[in-house]
């Protein structure tokens, strides 16, 4: 198995959306990719992140390794030293701090959030919402308190030197914005991550470069198509919201995940038509049952990471994955 960084082959790593469940899934899948598959995630020439994947990608480009994510999922990371399990769970639950304190404030935020959700589903331009109206009806019911604190502690303001693209959606133009890509609006890393994670209706949109941005998952759960033009020889995609079609979940779970799965299939097909080798790391049916329906849960991260590691390790031992990764120079 190859180890270390890729050589002549051009490799892109695509990290998809999935809430806190997605973060734990990435912790296990990327750990297996490194230890079993021999590919160090940060060695990829380009990392593309969407929502939860933007968090993982930003931390990878800022010095974290797969062991850090694994320890975070297990609750044993040095940053959690001295905390009891109840304290860790309470801290994780602060991903949903209410931004309203009264009925009228809840009403105002609900109206604003409804507008943001509606605009996130459309692909057509809309008039710019005046600042006073945005302030009167802010579009977010919760604040990502713990995420905001951790980003301030762990991530630099400046963009990483190694290529990192974070996907968001501009609700005014209806178009995707790939922060960090050429010709994208300048942004500090922390705000870019917050924008890519701003789930429409739940979190307030983030203003960057005159654009009002929400979670890139509103466009696609992986946005793999941004690397489907043939520039890369190999694309490795971690897609927590899709599912492994060869080890699929039950019909109801397939229905719930139908949109992310179909989007991913179309994006992968487009890449393969251009000669790109694509490896997809997706939850099996058994893993989907572990994921449950609440993708923003604050407990059970350990089991999520372990099941992701085990399933990914098995996939990496199959001929398709072995052959693709063996083509990378050590």
């Amino acid at each position: 198995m190859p180890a270390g960084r890729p050589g002549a082959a051009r490799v892109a790593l695509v990290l998809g959306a999935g809430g806190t469940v997605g973060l734990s899934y990435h912790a296990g899948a990327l750990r297996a990719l490194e230890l079993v598959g021999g590919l160090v995630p940060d060695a990829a020439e380009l990392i593309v992140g969407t929502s939860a994947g933007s968090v993982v990608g930003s931390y990878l480009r800022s010095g974290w390794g797969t062991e850090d994510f694994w320890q975070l999922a297990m609750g044993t990371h040095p940053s959690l030293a001295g905390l009891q399990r109840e304290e860790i769970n309470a801290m994780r639950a602060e991903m949903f701090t209410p931004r309203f304190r009264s009925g009228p404030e809840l009403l105002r935020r609900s109206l604003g959030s409804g507008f943001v959700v509606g605009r996130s589903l459309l692909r057509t331009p809309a008039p710019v919402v005046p600042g006073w109206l945005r302030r009167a009806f802010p579009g977010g019911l919760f604040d990502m308190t713990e995420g905001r604190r951790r980003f301030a502690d762990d991530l630099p303001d400046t963009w990483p030197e190694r290529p990192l693209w974070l996907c968001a959606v501009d609700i005014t133009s209806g178009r995707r914005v790939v922060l960090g890509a050429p010709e994208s609006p300048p942004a500090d890393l922390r705000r870019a991550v917050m924008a890519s994670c701003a789930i429409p209706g739940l979190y307030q949109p983030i203003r960057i470069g005159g654009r009002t941005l929400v979670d890139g998952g509103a466009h696609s759960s992986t946005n793999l198509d941004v690397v489907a033009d043939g520039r890369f020889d190999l694309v490795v995609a971690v897609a927590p919201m899709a599912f492994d079609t060869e080890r699929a979940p039950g019909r109801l779970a397939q229905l719930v995940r139908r949109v992310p799965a179909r989007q991913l299939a179309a994006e992968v097909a487009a890449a393969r038509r251009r000669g790109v080798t694509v490896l997809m790391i997706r939850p099996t049916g058994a893993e989907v049952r572990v994921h449950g329906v609440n993708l923003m849960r604050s407990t059970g991260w350990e089991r999520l990471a372990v099941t992701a590691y085990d399933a990914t390790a098995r996939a990496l031992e199959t001929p398709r994955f072995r052959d693709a990764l063996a083509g990378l120079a050590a």
Side-chain angles (χ1 to χ4, degrees), residues 2-330:
R5 61 176 188 164
R10 302 191 67 188
V11 180
L13 178 64
V14 174
L15 306 176
T20 57
V21 168
L23 289 174
S24 301
Y25 184 81
H26 279 98
L30 294 178
R31 191 64 174 149
L33 183 64
E34 179 175 348
L35 296 184
V36 180
L39 177 62
V40 177
D42 188 43
E45 182 174 334
L46 171 67
I47 295 178
V48 178
T50 299
S51 198
S54 75
V55 177
V56 177
S58 297
Y59 273 78
L60 286 171
R61 285 302 199 223
S62 299
W64 275 43
T66 60
E67 178 66 17
D68 289 294
F69 290 108
W70 182 260
Q71 290 179 357
L72 193 65
M74 296 298 112
T76 60
H77 194 268
S79 64
L80 303 175
L83 296 179
Q84 300 298 317
R85 173 58 56 186
E86 294 76 12
E87 295 174 298
I88 293 174
N89 289 340
M91 185 173 63
R92 291 171 174 175
E94 288 186 337
M95 298 297 289
F96 278 107
T97 303
R99 294 180 63 93
F100 52 88
R101 296 183 179 180
S102 65
E105 189 174 4
L106 173 59
L107 177 61
R108 290 192 301 109
R109 287 192 172 274
S110 296
L111 292 172
S113 297
F115 172 79
V116 171
V117 171
R119 284 302 311 157
S120 301
L121 298 175
L122 299 177
R123 295 288 182 269
T124 56
V128 177
V129 177
W132 67 266
L133 191 57
R134 291 198 305 269
R135 291 188 293 272
F137 299 97
L141 296 174
F142 301 94
D143 185 68
M144 199 185 304
T145 305
E146 172 60 12
R148 192 183 300 273
R149 183 190 68 78
R150 289 203 66 96
F151 300 159
D153 290 343
D154 300 337
L155 297 177
D157 280 330
T158 56
W159 207 265
E161 292 184 4
R162 292 178 56 75
L164 171 69
W165 293 1
L166 306 183
C167 299
V169 170
D170 178 3
I171 63 172
T172 300
S173 69
R175 303 178 69 177
R176 175 175 60 196
V177 177
V178 184
L179 299 165
E183 301 180 2
S184 67
D188 69 66
L189 182 60
R190 298 167 188 169
R191 285 188 64 79
V193 174
M194 294 292 292
S196 186
C197 293
I199 301 172
L202 295 183
Y203 297 129
Q204 189 164 338
I206 302 296
R207 295 279 294 175
I208 293 179
R211 295 169 171 85
T212 303
L213 303 181
V214 297
D215 194 313
H219 182 90
S220 163
S221 70
T222 61
N223 290 286
L224 185 144
D225 58 310
V226 301
V227 290
D229 58 4
R231 286 173 295 168
F232 295 92
D233 305 297
L234 173 64
V235 173
V236 179
V238 182
M241 295 185 70
F243 59 85
D244 187 335
T245 54
E246 295 182 0
R247 295 173 290 177
R251 290 185 179 180
L252 179 58
Q254 289 187 43
L255 181 63
V256 171
R257 292 174 176 246
R258 179 177 59 180
V259 172
R262 288 185 173 180
Q263 286 178 325
L264 178 62
E267 293 165 357
V268 169
R272 288 175 173 166
R273 285 195 297 268
R274 291 173 172 83
V276 181
T277 298
V278 181
L279 297 178
M280 291 180 285
I281 300 175
R282 301 163 294 175
T284 63
E287 290 176 275
V288 169
R289 289 193 293 273
V290 174
H291 288 193
V293 295
N294 180 11
L295 298 184
M296 293 298 292
R297 61 203 250 199
S298 59
T299 60
W301 291 14
E302 301 90 339
R303 188 183 179 200
L304 291 164
V306 169
T307 55
Y309 179 93
D310 291 343
T312 303
R314 288 192 294 271
L316 289 167
E317 293 291 358
T318 61
R320 173 171 176 76
F321 277 82
R322 284 202 311 267
D323 293 346
L325 294 175
L328 302 178

